[in-house]
Amino acid sequence: MATAGKDRKIDYIEFNVGDIGRAKTFYGGAFGWTFTDYGPEYCEFQDGRLTGGFTTLAPVKAAGGPLVILFADDLEDALARVTKAGGTIVKPIYTFPGGRRFQFTDPDGYELGVWSDR
């Protein structure tokens, strides 16, 4: 039986990480995500809109793949939080036709973006 609104939509994102505690510290500090632990090798995160997970069951493969982009009402505040939490800014704030955005790498080397329409 199909669930209305979920069919053919992205439902879950999973990151292979080197250290779950480090990932929780970074994403909790930078974005306020909350976590549910399911043993020493898996942790689920909730960002308030999407659920995903951190796992140490597979090696980190940070290069390539889709670019995950988060939204922020205050882009400068988001950049400051990412930096304070230990992220590395790889593309400073720039404008594009839909708004503004920056890109960063997390402690495992994954590159993500944050955008704002303001």
Side-chain angles (χ1 to χ4, degrees), residues 3 5-11:
T3 304
K6 290 187 176 185
D7 188 34
R8 297 177 308 263
K9 307 274 191 297
I10 294 174
D11 187 59

Side-chain angles (χ1 to χ4, degrees), residues 80-95:
R81 289 173 176 273
V82 164
T83 302
K84 182 178 180 183
T88 301
I89 305 305
V90 294
K91 289 186 182 176
I93 294 174
Y94 63 93
T95 59

Side-chain angles (χ1 to χ4, degrees), residues 7-57:
D7 188 34
R8 297 177 308 263
K9 307 274 191 297
I10 294 174
D11 187 59
Y12 202 81
I13 296 175
E14 201 166 83
F15 292 88
N16 297 325
V17 298
D19 183 304
I20 289 175
R22 180 180 66 200
K24 288 169 55 175
T25 298
F26 175 75
Y27 286 98
F31 300 107
W33 293 4
T34 59
F35 309 95
T36 303
D37 292 318
Y38 291 102
E41 299 171 322
Y42 201 88
C43 173
E44 184 176 80
F45 66 77
Q46 301 85 34
D47 74 355
R49 182 175 174 189
L50 183 77
T51 302
F54 298 127
T55 182
T56 58
L57 293 173

